[in-house]
């Protein structure tokens, strides 16, 4: 939020945030003002209450009950400041027997089944530790959605509200904890009907053919990510194994037996040792339809050509460490862009500024705002918003489904060619992936015909948002590009999610 102009005040205890030791802390907290309040003292608690009165949003991640012990619970502050949006992020939620368990990602992930879902990746039984903070990341984005939705409602009815989310909620919902044999949905289906949904035998965590990792001649590893049949077969042709598609054992790849899959894998692994990673990538780039990348560490990734071409990494000058390379704002708004905000604050750096303002405004009554009018309160935060979802596979459709959860009307527009659509509709590949379609209306339109374009243009004229993730050049060909859409509907928000950004080769 600080990257997009909000004044964000980081409140720390005496001595500072206990997670300051983590290198990423300076990136997580960039652009914020920093103050110290001792909530164990009456003065510190009173300052916190006054500060809440000057804020639009309060965000806290303490265990349930801690804020109440300090006199800072939602019920207390909402009475004083009806316009306040109060966001709570916990490990296991506000209720239940685990509500007071410390919400560290590893504990929550183990309880939520994420680690057991990874069983079989190494050559042993049992859970696998999940090093990536998937739940925390999803919880941060859920909090962002909730805060923005609550601010929208407040603009309409004059009152804030309590926004609540948790790591366990966000591990239960996302796609990446639902897919696979140990995914939450598949496990439930097996309990209901084990004959129809049998458990697959555990292997050694071997990938699908479309996602096969390979070692090349120079020792560099390439990761492939080809989901659709034409791209999987295109990969085989590009590396000189196209003749195998005439073999009865492999012609229906990826829908082949486990035995034949492993035979084909061996052929791929052997073939890809014949050239270096750079040579293979040159072949793939010339083809244009094969998804693959060399493995990089996080430092090397910052020098990726697409990262450099799209300015996805910026340099912030931090007085403690010098020039610091970090991610640019994650969303590019063309008319009102974000800006990389300055370095993270020192402990208590802005106490004089922030607390001085409180003393000057001590006589103001911040909570004296009009009461909400029930007629103005929407049934759902995004009620009345219409979104056209033309995105495919995962990120785009899942994002639109999350907005449908908040009350938006989402119209999913699919292609009419089933050969293409089977590769795009995630429901054609795994039962768990129906999450990307839930809550939507769905139509099929052939955008390659004048009639199809006319239908979508009529929808654009009445929509609030259009979302897609087509490759560059495709939107212009289908007449759903930004310039076309803005002429039809100047109020339309046009969202594009590209894999590599709009600049670079």
């Amino acid at each position: 939020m600080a990257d997009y102009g909000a004044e964000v005040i980081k409140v720390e205890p005496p001595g500072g945030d206990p997670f300051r030791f983590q290198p990423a802390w300076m990136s997580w907290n960039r652009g914020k003002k920093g103050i110290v309040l001792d909530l164990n003292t009456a003065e510190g608690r009173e300052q916190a209450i006054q500060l809440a009165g000057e804020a639009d949003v309060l965000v806290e991640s303490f265990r349930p009950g801690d804020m109440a012990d300090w006199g800072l619970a939602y019920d207390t502050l909402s009475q004083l400041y009806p316009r306040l949006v109060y966001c709570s992020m916990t490990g296991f939620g506000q209720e239940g027997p685990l509500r007071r368990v410390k919400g560290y990602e590893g504990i929550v992930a183990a309880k939520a089944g994420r680690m057991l879902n990874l069983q079989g990746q190494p050559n042993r039984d049992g859970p696998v530790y999940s090093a990536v903070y998937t739940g925390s990341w999803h919880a941060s984005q859920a909090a962002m959605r909730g805060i923005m939705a609550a601010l929208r409602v407040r603009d309409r009815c004059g009152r804030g509200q309590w926004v609540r989310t948790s790591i366990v909620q966000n591990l239960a919902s996302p796609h990446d904890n639902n897919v696979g044999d140990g995914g939450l949905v598949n496990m439930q289906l097996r309990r209901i009907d084990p004959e129809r949904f049998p458990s697959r035998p555990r292997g050694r965590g071997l990938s699908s053919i479309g996602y096969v990792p390979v070692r090349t001649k120079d020792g560099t590893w390439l990761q492939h990510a080809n989901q659709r049949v034409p791209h999987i077969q295109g990969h085989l042709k590009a590396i000189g194994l196209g003749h195998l598609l005439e073999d009865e054992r492999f012609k229906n790849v990826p829908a082949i037996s486990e035995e034949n899959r492993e035979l084909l894998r061996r052929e791929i692994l052997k073939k890809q040792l014949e050239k270096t990673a750079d040579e293979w990538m040159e072949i793939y780039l010339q083809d244009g339809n094969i998804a693959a990348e060399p493995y990089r560490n996080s430092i090397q990734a910052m020098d990726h050509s697409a990262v450099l071409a799209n300015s996805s990494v910026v340099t912030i000058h931090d007085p403690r460490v010098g020039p610091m390379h970090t991610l640019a704002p994650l969303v590019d708004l063309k008319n009102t862009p974000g800006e990389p905000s300055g370095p993270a604050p020192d402990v208590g750096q802005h106490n004089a500024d922030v607390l001085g303002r409180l003393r000057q405004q001590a006589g103001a009554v911040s909570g004296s705002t009009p009461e909400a009018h029930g007629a103005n309160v929407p049934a759902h935060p995004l009620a009345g918003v219409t979104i056209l979802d033309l995105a495919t596979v995962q990120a785009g459709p899942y994002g639109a489904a999350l907005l449908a959860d908040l009350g938006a009307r989402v119209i999913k527009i699919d292609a009419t060619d089933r050969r293409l659509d089977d590769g795009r509709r995630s429901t054609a590949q795994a039962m768990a992936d129906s999450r990307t379609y839930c809550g939507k209306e769905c139509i099929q339109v052939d955008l390659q015909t004048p009639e199809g374009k006319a239908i979508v243009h009529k929808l654009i004229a009445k929509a609030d948002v259009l979302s897609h993730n087509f490759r560059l050049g495709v939107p212009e060909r289908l007449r759903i590009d930004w310039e076309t859409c803005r002429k039809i509907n100047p109020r339309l928000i046009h969202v594009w999610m590209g894999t590599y950004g709009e600049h670079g080769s």
Side-chain angles (χ1 to χ4, degrees):
M1 289 185 176
D3 284 348
Y4 295 94
E7 180 186 38
V8 180
I9 301 170
K10 171 76 173 175
V11 180
E12 301 180 74
D17 185 336
F19 284 89
R20 272 183 173 267
F21 74 93
Q22 295 198 0
W25 193 94
M26 288 187 287
S27 183
W28 295 338
N29 290 280
R30 72 186 192 194
K32 301 179 183 179
K33 293 183 177 179
I35 67 170
V36 169
L37 295 181
D38 187 352
L39 297 180
N40 292 314
T41 67
E43 180 185 23
R45 293 191 291 272
E46 181 58 31
Q47 289 171 330
I49 291 171
Q50 291 178 18
L51 190 60
E54 299 301 320
D56 294 289
V57 180
L58 181 152
V59 180
E60 61 92 9
S61 58
F62 295 103
R63 286 182 288 175
D66 287 354
M67 290 290 277
D69 291 343
W70 294 316
L72 299 172
Y74 170 73
D75 290 342
T76 300
L77 294 182
S78 63
Q79 291 295 318
L80 294 171
Y81 314 119
R83 290 178 57 82
L84 180 68
V85 172
Y86 187 112
C87 178
S88 297
M89 304 169 66
T90 60
F92 291 96
Q94 296 289 328
E95 310 294 340
L98 300 179
R99 62 192 292 270
R100 291 289 297 170
V101 174
K102 291 185 177 181
Y104 295 122
E105 172 94 7
I107 296 173
V108 184
K111 295 290 283 185
R114 175 166 173 76
M115 295 183 187
L116 195 58
N117 191 19
L118 301 175
Q119 180 177 212
Q121 289 193 358
N123 189 23
R124 63 166 176 78
D125 291 332
V128 179
Y129 183 75
S130 172
V132 179
Y133 289 171
T134 300
S136 297
W137 167 254
H138 282 295
S140 74
Q141 302 309 295
M144 172 72 77
R145 291 192 304 276
I147 289 169
M148 299 306 293
L151 288 172
R152 181 177 188 267
V153 173
R154 190 187 73 172
D155 287 344
R156 296 182 62 179
C157 71
R159 289 188 67 92
Q161 58 184 296
W162 195 2
V163 176
R164 306 190 296 183
T165 190
S166 67
I167 296 176
V168 73
Q169 273 180 276
N170 287 280
L171 280 174
S173 172
H175 161 78
D176 60 359
N177 201 43
N178 280 323
V179 298
D181 191 52
L184 297 177
V185 172
N186 283 325
M187 291 177 71
Q188 292 177 59
L189 291 173
R190 281 202 300 276
R191 290 192 188 106
I192 296 170
D193 192 343
E195 292 186 5
R196 184 180 176 193
F197 302 101
S199 176
R200 294 196 299 269
R202 292 288 181 186
R204 293 182 55 194
L206 295 174
S207 69
S208 67
I209 291 299
Y211 277 70
V212 62
V214 302
R215 190 177 184 182
T216 61
K217 186 177 181 180
D218 60 349
T220 301
W221 286 82
L222 293 178
Q223 174 63 55
H224 295 82
N226 298 298
Q227 192 171 39
R228 292 179 52 210
V229 172
H231 298 159
I232 296 171
Q233 295 182 350
H235 170 216
L236 295 176
K237 294 174 183 177
I239 64 175
L241 294 180
H243 62 280
L244 294 180
L245 296 173
E246 300 174 6
D247 190 311
E248 286 294 322
R249 296 171 298 174
F250 310 127
K251 68 177 184 179
N252 293 320
V253 65
I256 57 179
S257 69
E258 183 177 351
E259 179 183 0
N260 290 335
R261 182 193 69 189
E262 296 314 309
L263 290 174
L264 181 57
R265 185 194 307 279
R266 292 174 197 166
E267 293 296 321
I268 294 172
L269 295 177
K270 182 170 65 175
K271 188 68 177 179
Q272 304 238 218
L273 284 169
E274 296 179 3
K275 297 182 186 295
T276 67
D278 287 345
E279 290 171 335
W280 285 124
M281 288 304 297
E282 182 62 29
I283 291 172
Y284 294 165
L285 289 172
Q286 289 180 2
D287 180 281
N289 287 301
I290 301 169
E293 278 284 359
Y295 279 84
R296 295 176 171 87
N297 61 37
S298 57
I299 302 301
Q300 293 169 333
M302 290 187 172
D303 292 324
H304 190 289
S305 59
V307 170
L308 297 175
N310 291 279
S311 301
S312 300
V313 169
V314 296
T315 300
I316 293 176
H317 293 276
D318 190 298
R320 292 155 296 195
V321 298
M324 182 176 69
H325 299 299
T326 185
L327 292 176
L330 297 181
V331 179
D332 180 17
L333 282 72
K334 289 299 184 184
N335 294 336
T336 54
E339 183 177 354
S341 40
D346 287 327
V347 178
Q349 180 178 342
H350 301 97
N351 266 49
D353 171 27
V354 174
L355 299 184
R357 276 187 280 161
L358 290 183
R359 286 189 289 269
Q360 293 170 10
Q361 299 167 0
V365 182
S366 303
S368 57
T369 55
E371 289 296 315
H373 298 290
N376 294 330
V377 179
H380 304 288
L382 297 186
V385 174
T386 299
I387 299 171
L388 305 181
D389 176 15
L390 285 87
T392 60
V393 189
Q394 291 298 337
Y398 182 58
L402 293 174
L403 298 178
D405 290 346
L406 292 172
R409 179 191 184 191
V410 180
I411 303 173
K412 183 73 178 74
I413 301 175
D414 279 327
T416 56
D417 189 332
R418 290 302 305 179
R419 291 172 301 171
L420 295 176
D421 199 40
D422 280 344
R424 293 174 177 173
R425 283 192 62 151
S426 50
T427 45
Q429 304 192 22
M431 181 72 71
D433 290 354
S434 59
R435 179 68 179 90
T436 60
Y437 271 71
C438 67
K440 303 179 184 180
E441 302 169 42
C442 190
I443 63 174
Q444 288 186 294
V445 177
D446 187 353
L447 274 169
Q448 300 190 52
T449 66
E451 295 81 6
K453 292 182 176 67
I455 291 171
V456 171
H457 286 179
K458 290 180 180 178
L459 292 171
I460 290 171
K462 296 182 178 181
D464 297 290
V465 181
L466 181 145
S467 171
H468 75 89
N469 57 0
F470 291 115
R471 286 191 287 182
L472 293 174
V474 175
E476 287 79 8
R477 195 161 65 245
L478 300 179
R479 304 297 294 159
I480 59 161
D481 56 289
W482 166 234
E483 292 300 330
T484 298
C485 289
R486 71 190 299 190
K487 292 175 183 176
I488 299 171
N489 181 355
R491 298 183 70 255
L492 185 78
I493 297 171
H494 191 272
V495 180
W496 175 63
M497 293 158 283
T499 302
Y500 287 101
E502 63 178 315
H503 303 296
S505 58

